[in-house]
Amino acid sequence: MTERPDRIRLTPELEISRLVCGLWQVADIEKNGATIDPNKGADALDAYARDGFDTFDMADHYGSAELITGRLLSRYPRDARPVAFTKWCPEPGQMTRDVVRRGIEERLTRLGLERVDLLQFHWWTFEHPAWLDALHEMQRLKEEGLIGALGLTNFDAGHLALALADGIEIATNQVSFSLIDRRAAGALSDLCARRGVKLLAYGTLCGGFLSETWLGKPEPIAIPDWSRSKYKRFIDTAGGWEAFQGILAAASRISKRHGVSLSNVASRWVLEHPAVAATIIGARLGENEHRDDNLNVFRFSLDAEDHAALDAAFAGTQAIPGDCGDEYRKPPFLTASGDLSHHLSAIPSIYTAEPVPGRPGRSRVSSGSVWEPIAGYSRAVRVGDRIHVSGTTATHAADRCVAPGDAGAQATYILDKIAASITALGGSMDDVVRTRVYLRDAGQWEPVSRAHGRVFGTSLPANTMVQAGDLIGDYAVEIEAEAICDGPSAV
């Protein structure tokens, strides 16, 4: 009989429980201004730790979660303390060495640590390229000893691949993964298998919806807590309440076969994916504790009959659109706060549109490349309702080539850069009607095509791809675009 959760090594120095205690509900408890007494909160976490649930996940915006965990960690000797993960989720802007260091040192201060075991990074919009600057600074802090392992949160496969290709040592990526949201089982898991990155899965129980409590029950009208409101949006997007009941019914039948709970089946299905290191379960600090039931996850496994039953139920649902993390960056916004378009629109663009002197109705943006003033061109120009984007390469911070030689990773970066220039001029990537792709090596057509498809798989612009011969420098690909906009110019 399993008495403690299974364990896994993320790195040679870091071993964790395969059931991680997530502290996001601290923010929910404290949302009306009340705060949890840190000693009482630490007492509740200590009960988890002593039962083997000794790995805790939190973030800079989870209320006082870091302070409570810091109080817990202070009770243990350094070589026997619980494991602490936290996240840094800065607003996009210039990520200088001082900005990044201050962000990480604040995490260390609140946790009372000299080194955080796993520091995870979230970035709101990839149109702002400073996320790469932040990761390179965190890589330096890792080498300095302030960060044990470096992780990401809510990164899609393309941008995880880009970070790895640009030399960042990534141990984990924390993403939504459940019987309802199965996106992580695709391209992201394939990439993790190739590159040795592990997934930390949250939302595995969909805020409690994946349990016997909701089997055969009517669709709820009012939902009082943030977590459940978020996962109801996932259920709606995946086909609605009836399709969701089909998954619950299949999981319930499987649970009876194995003598476990429906929630155990939901967790086991995720944990059996090879890329998954752990699932994250909510800890409500004394409320709804199910530690013994959670241990049943390690007392059975799913067989071929179980998987066939679940696959049949999945067939009655719709796939959550896009890739992991897209729910924070584009519609449908499947977040606790709902529609984030107001937040994203308030983030300053990396580019500034300016009118073209003496040419009414024209505007342009510059990316700051050293070559633009030398060669005499703009990153993009808008004339009336048309935006013309120059041939764009993976040039970062004026003169550095991102992911040298990796055509797929460079294409991902380039398309973000094109998106930023179009956005600054009042358009969007949905307005793009034509792209042209120039390859150094035609043999690299597939990773570049896949990057292109991730962005334009719905709008489907006209496209040309050619081998252009020897591109300048370490650039493996160059892309240009044209858009026709419905909205007004940005200037």
Side-chain angles (χ1 to χ4, degrees):
M1 181 68 72
T2 299
E3 298 297 337
R4 299 172 77 81
D6 286 357
R7 303 186 70 77
I8 189 171
R9 284 200 174 274
L10 292 182
T11 70
E13 298 80 25
L14 181 58
E15 182 182 87
I16 68 168
S17 165
R18 294 202 72 197
L19 290 179
V20 173
C21 295
L23 303 184
W24 66 85
Q25 291 170 341
V26 170
D28 200 1
I29 294 169
E30 297 181 335
K31 65 184 177 184
N32 294 321
T35 57
I36 298 170
D37 178 86
N39 284 314
K40 290 181 179 179
D43 290 342
L45 297 189
D46 205 13
Y48 280 93
R50 294 185 185 282
D51 284 348
F53 297 83
D54 65 349
T55 307
F56 298 94
D57 176 76
M58 67 218 79
D60 54 5
H61 58 284
Y62 290 2
S64 60
E66 290 175 328
L67 296 173
I68 292 169
T69 305
R71 192 65 56 90
L72 169 70
L73 300 180
S74 70
R75 300 177 180 181
Y76 285 79
R78 180 182 301 181
D79 60 352
R81 64 169 176 78
V83 177
F85 303 166
T86 194
K87 307 180 193 76
W88 184 46
C89 311
E91 289 296 313
Q94 295 304 312
M95 292 287 111
T96 64
R97 184 162 298 185
D98 287 343
V99 167
V100 176
R101 180 176 285 273
R102 283 198 303 270
I104 305 314
E105 287 182 343
E106 183 181 20
R107 313 277 65 74
L108 295 172
T109 298
R110 286 168 63 86
L111 287 166
L113 295 175
E114 295 178 355
R115 181 178 73 173
V116 63
D117 298 316
L118 175 69
L119 192 286
Q120 301 161 99
F121 176 67
H122 172 86
W123 192 251
W124 289 103
T125 172
F126 294 117
E127 288 186 21
H128 198 302
W131 66 275
L132 275 177
D133 298 325
L135 282 176
H136 279 284
E137 291 302 331
M138 284 187 277
Q139 179 78 28
R140 293 186 183 96
L141 293 177
K142 179 178 179 293
E143 293 164 2
E144 187 178 324
L146 276 66
I147 297 171
L150 188 53
L152 304 172
T153 185
N154 297 315
F155 268 57
D156 57 72
H159 289 90
L160 171 59
L162 172 53
L164 292 167
D166 207 41
I168 307 299
E169 298 172 3
I170 303 297
T172 63
N173 186 21
Q174 185 177 145
V175 294
S176 170
F177 199 178
S178 70
L179 294 174
I180 303 300
D181 179 10
R182 303 179 295 277
R183 294 172 297 172
L188 185 57
S189 283
D190 293 341
L191 174 64
C192 289
R194 296 195 304 272
R195 299 301 303 267
V197 177
K198 287 296 185 182
L199 297 179
L200 301 174
Y202 69 84
T204 300
L205 300 182
C206 287
F209 276 117
L210 285 170
S211 69
E212 286 87 353
T213 301
W214 294 98
L215 178 62
K217 297 297 173 58
E219 184 172 3
I221 298 173
I223 301 174
D225 63 272
W226 287 351
S227 178
R228 201 162 290 161
S229 295
K230 171 180 179 175
Y231 293 109
K232 178 60 165 57
R233 294 186 177 97
F234 276 86
I235 290 169
D236 293 343
T237 304
W241 197 251
E242 184 177 350
F244 169 64
Q245 287 293 320
I247 290 178
L248 281 185
S252 178
R253 291 190 294 270
I254 294 168
S255 73
K256 290 179 171 61
R257 284 187 65 217
H258 294 283
V260 297
S261 70
L262 191 159
S263 295
N264 293 154
V265 173
S267 293
R268 186 71 203 179
W269 182 83
V270 173
L271 277 171
E272 287 188 0
H273 284 79
V276 174
T279 63
I280 302 172
I281 55 175
R284 286 201 70 93
L285 306 187
E287 301 177 35
N288 299 325
E289 295 179 2
H290 302 291
R291 291 195 289 274
D292 187 60
D293 179 67
N294 286 327
L295 288 175
N296 285 330
V297 170
F298 305 110
R299 295 168 179 159
F300 79 107
S301 59
L302 299 174
D303 58 26
E305 181 180 347
D306 299 330
H307 282 287
L310 289 171
D311 289 343
F314 297 158
T317 68
Q318 301 171 13
I320 301 296
D323 201 345
C324 296
D326 283 356
E327 65 270 27
Y328 288 92
R329 301 180 181 98
K330 62 182 71 172
F333 290 105
L334 307 178
T335 72
S337 302
D339 189 342
L340 293 178
S341 57
H342 62 289
H343 171 74
L344 295 174
S345 63
I347 296 172
S349 173
I350 189 67
Y351 300 138
T352 301
E354 59 182 21
V356 177
R359 304 304 298 264
R362 291 193 186 186
S363 53
R364 63 192 179 198
V365 296
S366 170
S367 66
S369 165
V370 295
W371 289 106
E372 288 171 10
I374 294 173
Y377 69 96
S378 296
R379 171 56 38 223
V381 176
R382 178 165 179 163
V383 183
D385 63 355
R386 304 184 73 92
I387 297 175
H388 306 266
V389 184
S390 295
T392 305
T393 58
T395 303
H396 181 77
D399 60 359
R400 181 175 79 82
C401 177
V402 169
D406 190 316
Q410 288 189 15
T412 296
Y413 183 91
I414 289 167
L415 291 168
D416 290 338
K417 194 172 177 180
I418 289 173
S421 64
I422 291 175
T423 299
L425 289 167
S428 76
M429 291 297 261
D430 289 338
D431 297 324
V432 172
V433 296
R434 154 68 73 180
T435 58
R436 296 179 180 86
V437 180
Y438 306 99
L439 298 173
R440 177 191 294 271
D441 176 6
Q444 294 300 306
W445 68 269
E446 184 171 356
V448 174
S449 295
R450 291 190 181 280
H452 189 278
R454 284 194 293 269
V455 174
F456 297 116
T458 301
S459 57
L460 303 174
N463 169 253
T464 301
M465 178 180 285
V466 298
Q467 178 169 308
D470 194 17
L471 298 177
I472 298 169
D474 293 320
Y475 301 113
V477 59
E478 184 168 340
I479 304 174
E480 62 183 51
E482 298 175 14
I484 301 177
C485 307
D486 297 325
S489 174
V491 296

